[in-house]
Amino acid sequence: MTRTTARIEDPALLTGRGRFLDDLDPFAGTLTAAIVRSPHPHARIRGVDLSRARRHPGVAAVVGPEEVAAELKPFPLAVKTPMPYYPTAVDKARFVGEPVAIVVAADRYAAEDAAELVDVDYEPLPPVVEIDDALEPDAPLLHDTADSNVATDRTFTFGDVDEVFAGADRVVVGEYDFPRYSSTPMECYSVVAEWQDEADGPAIEAWANFHGPFSMVAVLAGAFGLPASRIRLRIPADNGGSFGIKAGIYPYVALLALASKHAGRPVRWTEDRVEHLLGSSAGSDRRMRFEAAVSADGRVRGLRADLVDNVGGYLRPPEPSTLYRCFGNITGAYRIDAVSIRSRAVVTNKTPTGLNRGFGGQQLYFGLERLMDEIALRCDLDPGELRRRNFVRGADFPYATPTGGIYDSGDYHAALDMLLKNADYQALRQEQARARERGEYLGIGLATIVDPSATNIGYVGLATPAEQRAKGRGKSGSTEHVRISVDPNGLVSVLLGTVPQGQGHATVAQQVVADALGLPREQVRPVVEMDTATTPWTISSGSYSSRFAPLLTSALVEASERLAETIKIAGATLLGADASAVELAEGAARLRADPARSVPFRHAAGVVHWDPGSLPPGVPARLYEEAAFTPPESKAPSRTDQINSSLCYGFVAELAVVRIDAETREVRLEQVFTVHDAGTILNPVLLEGQVHGALAHALGGALYEEMRYSEAGQPTATFMDYLCPTSAETTYALDSDHLETPSPLTRLGAKGCGEGSCMSLPVAIANAVADALRPEGVEITSLPLHGNVVHQLLESGALTTERKN
């Protein structure tokens, strides 16, 4: 199946013919909106005066907290904690940048001028910024309806954890902090919404550069008290990146729809860069503590994990997803038999969190892989050897983790061997020894991670105790839909159920269907625009968690095979042969034993369209097929809180080489060696694109990007103080290699590959920096690791050379 083909998406993008939402005008007479945002991180709203704004020339409507509270219900949450969330602040502002009102006018200039006339009477309240602050018993409450700032708190135990720890030769403890950083796609949020008063009741039609999951449609419906069928969501063909963050656009869809209702016209809003950094979303910052029960030979027998996520002002759906997305693979690539987990999410006066490429895995593996390096140090083992001793073995697949994950396939030892050979690991260690003799800081860091893909959204159910989950009403999902049709000229249209943001879904879909039907690629036309009224979809549909390669391509194969059977029957009718003797190849239906006897594919399709009476009895004149690939391995959480939280589990082995300038303390990433096992490779060029993109995204979180907040709760809000890596920072030498262990669970053996290095490179860099600074006794427990941080670590009096037992 491996095929190198050019991306069919590129010509339009490279010639300025992209169809992004700002290029489209889907409704006549559309007005423009501006959003009034809170300058305070925590403040009671004592009153809002909208009168001056409403009198401003060109203003059609102004909607504030009073209208929002009166006309919308709080968004349905994943847990029952009483922390209601609306698209604007209602009683309090809980983060800087939270919407408070929306102004609709004839153009953006008038809307923004009028927005400055909205007068909000704030009563500032003490801010709660960090996790430790939120957990204090006397901390100011963000939500007066709740008992504390803890939004969810669950404890899980699998195996006899206490007994394993009691019998351990040593217990290794690590406490780590993962920073809050964001996605910064080239195209920010954009929404155009129209409230429609129809004879059979109100309806909403909205265009948005949303990427799914479509569980948010149900959330929108719940807020308006409408059936989901009355909300039509449309997504344009082109989406300027997402990396997870555009799942958080749904509150603005609700707000724009309400604004349209008041204005009596469709309303458009496009987010600017400051708004995006200030108020859209970010990956959650996490405080974590790991304890490992370790035998004398370095085998990890038990694991305790205490995870606390800072989710910002609200537990905004789909949170607490970040805590549970990697539940099934929380033991990583290692055979660990006994596990206990405490998972908490706290609310603070920061921007609410959501999906960020690799979400949940970035945080998990930073702690787990730092811990593995610490264990190697305590056991006097090379970090690679320590991992090798603990890996799941090839003979163990399919491997069941204590928490319910079922690893479908892999060869972790072979991947690590490939990595170390490609890097010439021993030579690197020798070079490091020479560098240390010269007083230089050169570090080598490893990370080996399991890469989950085709997420089963049922993991969100773990936030609710089993006894509170209604029997017979479980939630699960790894379904993707496609619809394929053939026209009278034999041209094939493929309607995808995912919403790509540049990954090349159309290219691979064209390739898969063309191969299945024996056609040249140009005879297959993929359609990637999404319309919830006409495109097949389910709650779990969308482009997230590397779902396309394992799930949607499997659906493509199933639909193509059914179409192929009909075309073969039609071709056999023309050839006067039995359908079982016909194959589809080279654009024709031909006899397998005599390829010279053939008819063009288009002629066979024409029979179905023009002469269905000639088909054998019982054969329907049907040249369109829908397929929904629903793997039976993706089920709701068990009553014992186990879940296979993803369908497929790939593998990444990564090695980073860093050099730290002894004077400036700048951390320079010099080399990256990476080996990915994503099952069957569908398109090597696109796979490499995903690897390169994930590395760049990870580099930002490891060395540059951080959503910093002052003690007063004021955040970074521009690229002047939020530093993203550019081409100048991605000059490291890269050696990228691949291993293929096809998944037995997907039709093509493919696994996902879009997030792996986002999860592995940050901790590989951290391990390399720790390795470089080990002679100085520096411990690395957090990110990012830019020069200022390294300087503080080296100069600070808190620095210690003693290891904690």
Side-chain angles (χ1 to χ4, degrees), residues 244-273:
I245 202 167
K246 284 178 180 168
I249 198 173
Y250 69 90
Y252 294 101
V253 177
L255 185 57
L256 268 289
L258 185 61
S260 171
K261 177 183 179 181
H262 281 257
R265 298 258 295 276
V267 181
R268 175 188 291 273
W269 168 74
T270 298
E271 182 185 54
D272 64 32
R273 181 59 62 186

Side-chain angles (χ1 to χ4, degrees), residues 69 139 343 397 421 426 502 709:
S343 299
F397 292 100
K421 179 181 178 181
Q426 293 306 318
Y709 285 76

Side-chain angles (χ1 to χ4, degrees), residues 516-518 564-565 567-569 571-572 575 578-599 601:
L517 297 178
E565 290 305 309
I567 293 292
K568 288 177 184 178
I569 292 171
L575 292 168
D578 189 88
S580 63
V582 175
E583 66 177 3
L584 302 182
E586 298 181 354
R590 67 190 190 188
L591 295 184
R592 191 176 296 105
D594 184 7
R597 288 191 61 196
S598 67
V599 294
F601 183 96

Side-chain angles (χ1 to χ4, degrees), residues 483-630:
R483 179 184 295 153
I484 306 178
S485 60
V486 185
D487 75 6
N489 295 317
L491 294 177
V492 180
S493 294
V494 182
L495 185 60
L496 304 183
T498 54
V499 185
Q501 316 103 46
Q503 301 99 321
H505 289 187
T507 297
V508 176
Q510 183 188 60
Q511 171 187 323
V512 169
V513 174
D515 286 350
L517 297 178
L519 293 173
R521 290 182 62 203
E522 57 271 16
Q523 205 165 327
V524 178
R525 175 180 173 266
V527 179
V528 296
E529 293 176 319
M530 166 64 80
D531 181 345
T532 57
T534 59
T535 308
W537 62 282
T538 66
I539 289 294
S540 65
S541 296
S543 179
Y544 63 101
S545 298
S546 298
R547 297 168 61 83
F548 175 82
L551 297 179
L552 194 124
T553 62
S554 294
L556 285 171
V557 171
E558 290 192 5
S560 297
E561 286 178 346
R562 292 203 291 268
L563 270 178
E565 290 305 309
T566 302
I567 293 292
K568 288 177 184 178
I569 292 171
T573 300
L574 292 176
L575 292 168
D578 189 88
S580 63
V582 175
E583 66 177 3
L584 302 182
E586 298 181 354
R590 67 190 190 188
L591 295 184
R592 191 176 296 105
D594 184 7
R597 288 191 61 196
S598 67
V599 294
F601 183 96
R602 67 180 185 277
H603 289 176
V607 168
V608 180
H609 280 285
W610 296 104
D611 190 16
S614 67
L615 296 173
V619 176
R622 174 189 173 103
L623 276 183
Y624 71 91
E625 291 289 346
E626 290 184 3
F629 182 71
T630 304

